[in-house]
């Protein structure tokens, strides 16, 4: 919807700590002609001379969407921090709108300002927004020499972040506490995660991290060590997991169904493959379901959705996946359901250990094609004073495109 002059009704204005001094001419013009200006109380306080109607945006943020949409037809300005589309409010608001309904005037983001102050190349610096996200999202990036800029809620969250680093063996990490960047209250202080003792940190605040320490590092390749996952034996072991992830072939923005998830290791590694992937883990055993959730939380992938059902019951209630892994509950009925209901092109990977399950996969491979792989693994184990090969149960893997 556009106004009577043919312009978008909503203008999203990025504002910094320097208030009106940092705004572009286009932002000043939008504010001068606005009938209503809305934004966080902190942002509105930066513009005390507004002549039009103002409204403080509520918390949580989503509660302000409906009142904003009710203003269609009026000239409305939404104030947001810096760049609205980098860990900002812009994408949350505009997904409700047609492209013709809004324009945006961004400013440098806190990430850009922090990188400029620290002299860090932003293209090789990890950037995370943890205002309302768990600190465990840091876990996959904790490795020697990693640099990160992290947006956090307040001073207490800075202390919690330092504590998280200490707890995971990275207490020697250098921290730069960056307060109110770009404005008259700007302050930057350096410390370490193990020695931080600041009690007067003001909002808004970001933290620059140069990771250092001897904590365990989560590898970037598929097939992470089994000891990263709590389990009761129901886990796809590391070498088989690596081959399984290779067959599943996760790609950006794709969704996995992990049926009979057990410890959740396959779904979690799928999620670790790219920050845009999604996964649904189907697990009928509540103890295992909770364990899978805990594993995902510990490894910083809070995108895992646990579904407490035994497949194929309840599968139809969820959006179609791009790939399906069957790690438990393999049966003729399940394969029939998947082949009937999944869209063509969906990748299916099933692992079998028992003779009965192997025979089932051999039958389906003969009928539907794909690849059938037998995985025989042995590792060295003591035999008296010497060593020999200890064989594991072979795994038969069928992978096929529906």
């Amino acid at each position: 919807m556009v106004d009577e002059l043919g312009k978008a009704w909503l203008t999203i204005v990025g504002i910094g700590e320097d208030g009106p001094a940092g705004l572009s001419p286009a932002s000043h013009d939008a504010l001068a002609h606005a009938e209503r200006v809305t934004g966080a109380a902190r942002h509105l306080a930066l513009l005390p001379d507004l002549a039009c109607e103002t409204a403080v945006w509520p918390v949580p943020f989503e509660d302000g969407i409906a009142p904003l949409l009710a203003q269609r037809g009026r000239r409305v300005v939404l104030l947001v921090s810096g760049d609205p589309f980098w860990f900002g409010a812009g994408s949350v608001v505009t997904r409700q709108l047609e492209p013709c309904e809004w324009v945006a005037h961004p400013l440098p983001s806190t990430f850009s300002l922090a990188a400029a102050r620290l002299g860090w190349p932003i293209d090789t610096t990890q950037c995370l927004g943890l205002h309302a996200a768990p600190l465990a999202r840091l876990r996959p990036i904790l490795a020697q020499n990693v640099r990160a800029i992290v947006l956090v809620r307040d001073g207490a969250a800075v202390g919690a972040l330092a504590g998280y680093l200490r707890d995971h063996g990275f207490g020697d990490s250098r921290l730069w506490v960056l307060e109110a960047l770009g404005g008259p209250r700007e302050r930057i202080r350096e410390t370490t995660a193990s020695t931080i003792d600041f009690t007067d940190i003001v909002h808004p605040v970001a933290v620059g991290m140069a990771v250092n320490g001897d904590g365990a590092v989560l590898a970037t390749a598929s097939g992470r060590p089994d000891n990263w996952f709590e389990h009761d034996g129901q886990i796809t072991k590391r070498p088989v997991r690596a081959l399984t992830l290779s067959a599943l072939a996760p790609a950006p923005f794709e969704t996995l169904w992990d049926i009979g998830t057990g410890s959740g290791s396959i779904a979690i590694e799928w999620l670790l493959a790219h920050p845009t992937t999604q996964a649904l883990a189907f697990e009928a055993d509540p103890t295992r379901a909770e364990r899978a959730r805990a594993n995902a939380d510990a490894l910083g992938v809070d995108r895992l959705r646990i579904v407490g059902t035994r497949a194929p019951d309840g599968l139809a209630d969820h959006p179609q996946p791009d790939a399906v892994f069957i790690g438990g509950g393999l049966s003729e009925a399940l394969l029939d359901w998947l082949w009937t209901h999944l869209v063509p092109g969906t990748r299916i990977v099933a692992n079998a250990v028992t003779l009965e399950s192997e025979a089932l996969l051999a039958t389906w491979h003969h009928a539907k094609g794909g690849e059938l792989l037998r995985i025989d693994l042995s590792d060295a184990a003591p035999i008296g004073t010497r060593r020999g090969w200890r064989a594991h149960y072979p795994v038969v893997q069928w992978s096929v495109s529906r």
Side-chain angles (χ1 to χ4, degrees):
M1 178 181 292
V2 295
D3 64 20
E4 66 274 10
L5 297 179
K7 297 180 180 179
W9 65 272
L10 176 65
T11 303
I12 304 172
V13 170
I15 189 168
E17 286 296 303
D18 53 355
L23 296 179
S24 67
S27 294
H28 279 291
D29 183 67
L31 289 166
H33 292 90
E35 298 173 76
R36 179 184 175 94
V37 177
T38 183
R42 177 172 64 88
H43 295 144
L44 291 171
L46 295 170
L47 301 171
D49 299 325
L50 291 171
C52 67
E53 170 189 325
T54 62
V56 175
W57 195 278
V59 177
F61 186 87
E62 290 75 12
D63 289 353
I65 301 293
L68 176 69
L69 298 180
Q71 300 297 316
R72 274 191 172 103
R74 304 181 72 192
R75 296 181 182 180
V76 179
V77 170
L78 169 61
L79 300 174
V80 298
S81 295
D83 186 342
F85 294 94
W86 198 358
F87 290 97
S91 59
V92 179
V93 171
T94 57
R95 72 169 64 114
Q96 315 286 334
L97 305 174
E98 296 297 326
C100 63
E101 293 188 78
W102 59 273
V103 294
H105 304 307
L107 288 181
S109 69
T110 301
F111 296 115
S112 297
L113 293 173
R117 302 297 189 269
L118 299 172
W120 292 355
I122 203 164
D123 54 308
T124 57
T125 299
Q126 297 284 337
C127 296
L128 293 90
L130 300 182
H131 294 95
L135 290 171
R137 284 195 183 176
L138 292 169
R139 195 65 193 90
I141 71 166
L142 293 184
Q144 198 76 13
N145 300 319
V146 166
R147 287 174 171 174
I149 298 169
V150 183
L151 308 186
V152 293
R153 184 179 59 257
D154 52 26
V158 176
L161 184 152
Y164 185 86
L165 293 173
R166 292 194 302 270
D167 291 345
H168 288 82
F170 295 97
D172 291 336
S173 298
R174 295 171 66 192
L175 304 181
W176 288 262
V177 180
L178 308 122
E179 302 163 76
L181 292 179
R185 300 182 300 133
E186 178 175 311
R187 180 169 60 173
I188 301 173
R189 292 178 284 178
E190 184 179 350
T191 182
T192 69
S194 60
T195 62
I196 186 170
D197 60 356
F198 304 147
T199 59
D200 58 346
I201 299 172
V202 301
H203 178 76
V205 59
V207 179
M209 295 170 32
V211 180
N212 187 27
D214 57 5
V217 173
L218 186 62
T220 57
S222 297
R224 278 81 173 182
D226 296 341
N227 60 12
W228 282 94
F229 305 93
E230 295 292 334
H231 62 90
D232 59 359
Q234 184 73 11
I235 183 173
T236 303
K237 299 297 193 296
R238 178 172 64 171
V240 177
R241 193 181 331 119
L243 290 169
T244 301
L245 266 294
S246 177
L248 288 168
F253 296 98
E254 287 193 332
T255 296
L256 171 73
W257 283 2
D258 183 357
I259 298 175
T261 195
S263 68
S265 62
I266 292 292
I268 291 168
E269 293 225 33
W270 171 279
L271 293 171
L272 287 169
H274 196 271
T276 64
T277 52
Q278 301 292 325
L280 279 74
F282 297 89
E283 178 57 63
D285 185 309
T287 300
R288 286 176 174 167
E290 185 55 37
R291 186 180 293 118
R293 187 185 307 281
N295 282 333
D297 291 345
L299 295 179
V301 285
D302 50 321
R303 308 187 307 281
L304 181 65
R305 289 179 54 201
I306 305 290
V307 182
T309 188
R310 189 177 302 279
D313 297 340
L315 294 181
D317 299 332
H318 303 281
Q320 287 274 329
D322 300 283
V324 175
F325 172 61
I326 308 171
L330 178 64
S331 67
E332 184 85 32
L334 176 57
L335 292 175
D336 277 331
W337 191 97
L338 294 173
W339 207 262
T340 301
H341 292 85
L342 295 180
V343 299
T346 305
R347 305 184 297 280
I348 301 173
V349 177
N351 288 352
V353 176
T354 67
L355 293 175
E356 292 79 6
S357 295
E358 285 187 20
L360 179 61
L361 293 187
T363 299
W364 276 78
H365 172 253
H366 179 74
K368 305 297 184 183
E371 296 184 3
L372 197 62
L373 177 69
R374 180 182 168 96
I375 306 167
D376 285 294
L377 296 172
S378 300
D379 56 16
I383 302 179
T385 60
R386 303 197 175 197
R387 294 171 300 148
W389 291 112
R390 178 180 57 191
H392 295 265
Y393 287 117
V395 175
V396 172
Q397 181 179 96
W398 180 47
S399 56
V400 67
S401 181
R402 159 73 175 85

